[in-house]
């Protein structure tokens, strides 16, 4: 059961939501865990520290580090902190995301920059900076995508970023495969996190969807866990859809 025993996982955006469930699952799988959030003075910082203590309670090593991943130098410092505290990095889960919810034609320049910097540039910075550690470990990269990568929602400009990152995941699998690094993605369906509170106001009919079509953070975490297993060694550059079949019934309506 403990396939990550002795290994170290960094889950970006694990101060809350899906990222926290992924970090918890990887700790249950045996990993020491780097809990990460954006802002040490933000509303979720205290929760990140509580979560770190929970992971320590499993007998795993855990630290919380904060970094705004849109800042390449901050990403470099984060990876430096991981190296100092843990000495290695085996699993990098690219989960952090932040986006405006409005039509692309209504995006201010600052919205567009936030969208691209947080959801495209930041994960690329993370891989660039973590590469020396991942190479030594022969590690895994798992990107967290969403159904917006393949289905249009007018108020969800994050979708095109997710599509680009699923493509980038294939790129990484090819570029980094020779260094022993696997890269895959999980495309999650609808998950009731903080982001969902905004989404439900903008998406007519969302609240009418049957409860069984909502994915839990733990289900997303389970797929991430699988992708880090030796059993998944043949899966490279792929995006696994974990949506409880929501996308299969796209023409049926709620
Ligand atoms: N919720 C859904 O229905 C759903 C569905 C499919 C896929 N996903 C994907 O799953 C992932 C997690 O979603 P979620 O709903 O759990 O998100 P969430 O609750 O909004 O949490 C976002 C996380 O990302 C961090 N973050 C945001 N911008 C950052 C930045 N510039 N630098 C560093 N960290 C940053 C946040 O840190 P702070 O706490 O410090 O702000 C937080 O930890 C995202 O990639 C999302 O697109 C979500």
């Amino acid at each position: 059961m403990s396939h990550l025993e002795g290994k170290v996982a960094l889950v970006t955006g694990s101060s809350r939501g899906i990222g926290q469930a992924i970090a918890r699952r990887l700790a249950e799988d045996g990993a020491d865990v780097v809990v990460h959030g954006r802002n040490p003075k933000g509303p979720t910082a205290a929760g990140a520290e509580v979560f770190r203590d929970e992971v320590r309670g499993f007998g795993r090593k855990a630290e919380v580090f904060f970094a705004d991943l849109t800042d390449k130098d901050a990403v470099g410092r984060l990876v430096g902190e991981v190296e100092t505290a843990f000495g290695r990095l085996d699993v990098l889960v690219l989960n952090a995301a932040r986006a405006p919810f409005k039509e692309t034609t209504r995006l201010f320049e600052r919205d567009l920059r936030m969208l691209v910097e947080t959801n495209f540039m930041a994960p690329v910075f993370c891989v660039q900076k973590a590469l020396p550690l991942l190479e030594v470990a022969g590690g895994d990269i798992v990107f967290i995508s969403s159904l917006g990568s393949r289905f249009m929602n007018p108020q969800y400009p994050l979708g095109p970023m997710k599509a680009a990152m699923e493509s980038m995941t294939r790129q990484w699998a090819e570029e980094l495969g020779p260094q022993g690094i696997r890269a895959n993605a999980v495309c999650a369906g609808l998950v009731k996190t903080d982001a969902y509170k905004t989404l439900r106001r903008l998406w007519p009919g969302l609240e009418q969807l049957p409860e069984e079509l909502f994915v839990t953070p733990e289900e997303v975490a389970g797929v991430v866990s699988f992708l880090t297993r030796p059993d998944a060694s043949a899966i490279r550059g792929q995006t696994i859809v974990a949506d409880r079949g929501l996308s299969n019934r796209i023409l049926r309506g709620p």
Side-chain angles (χ1 to χ4, degrees), residues 12-19 36-39 44 66-70 94-98 118 144-147 156 158 162 188-196 199:
T12 69
S14 47
S15 54
R16 56 189 161 123
I18 296 169
H36 162 262
R38 179 164 55 107
N39 181 359
T44 59
F66 294 94
D68 183 340
L69 302 178
T70 63
L94 300 165
N95 165 84
R98 185 163 165 246
T118 308
I144 306 302
S145 188
S146 75
L147 290 176
Y156 190 76
L158 181 54
K162 295 296 193 186
L190 294 167
V191 190
K192 289 186 175 174
T193 62
D194 290 345
Y196 174 79
L199 203 58

Side-chain angles (χ1 to χ4, degrees), residues 14-244:
S14 47
S15 54
R16 56 189 161 123
I18 296 169
Q20 195 167 107
I22 294 169
R24 183 179 291 108
R25 175 58 194 262
L26 298 182
E28 286 166 0
D29 287 337
D32 293 333
V33 164
V34 185
V35 180
H36 162 262
R38 179 164 55 107
N39 181 359
K41 296 192 171 74
T44 59
E49 284 167 10
V50 170
F51 175 59
R52 172 204 57 203
D53 294 343
E54 178 192 328
V55 173
R56 286 179 178 170
F58 303 160
R60 307 289 168 224
K61 186 170 174 181
E63 298 292 345
V64 188
F65 297 132
F66 294 94
D68 183 340
L69 302 178
T70 63
D71 175 349
K72 189 174 184 179
D73 292 338
V75 176
R77 287 192 292 277
L78 169 67
V79 172
E81 286 174 310
V82 173
E83 186 170 19
T84 303
F86 295 87
R88 60 186 294 156
L89 181 63
D90 301 85
V91 179
L92 172 63
V93 182
L94 300 165
N95 165 84
R98 185 163 165 246
F101 288 95
K102 51 173 134 161
E103 290 90 343
T104 55
T105 48
R106 291 180 49 235
L107 292 176
F108 296 117
E109 183 177 343
R110 67 169 183 274
D111 294 329
L112 194 53
R113 289 193 187 284
M114 185 261 269
L115 189 65
V116 176
E117 288 176 7
T118 308
N119 304 291
F120 185 82
M121 294 176 70
V124 176
F125 290 156
C126 288
V127 170
Q128 288 177 338
K129 293 294 184 183
L131 199 52
L133 293 179
L134 290 172
E135 273 176 347
V136 172
D140 275 291
I141 298 167
V142 183
F143 176 74
I144 306 302
S145 188
S146 75
L147 290 176
S149 64
R150 48 202 78 197
F151 299 106
M152 201 281 294
N153 179 314
Q155 318 247 30
Y156 190 76
L158 181 54
M161 297 295 97
K162 295 296 193 186
M165 289 311 302
E166 289 183 15
S167 176
M168 182 64 80
T169 300
R170 289 190 285 277
Q171 189 90 9
W172 283 329
E174 283 303 303
E175 268 183 45
L176 309 180
Q179 282 110 286
I181 298 170
R182 278 188 303 185
N184 288 295
V186 179
C187 175
L190 294 167
V191 190
K192 289 186 175 174
T193 62
D194 290 345
Y196 174 79
K197 291 173 197 156
T198 312
L199 203 58
R200 73 180 174 192
R201 280 192 274 116
L202 302 171
W203 186 342
L206 188 61
E207 297 274 61
Q208 274 78 55
L209 282 178
E211 192 58 35
E212 70 260 21
L213 287 180
F214 288 89
V215 179
T216 65
E218 290 72 28
E219 287 175 310
V220 181
V223 184
V224 174
S225 165
F226 168 68
L227 287 172
T228 65
R229 286 178 178 274
D231 302 315
S233 58
I235 304 176
R236 310 234 168 174
Q238 300 302 311
T239 299
I240 311 280
V241 177
D243 70 348
R244 292 199 177 200

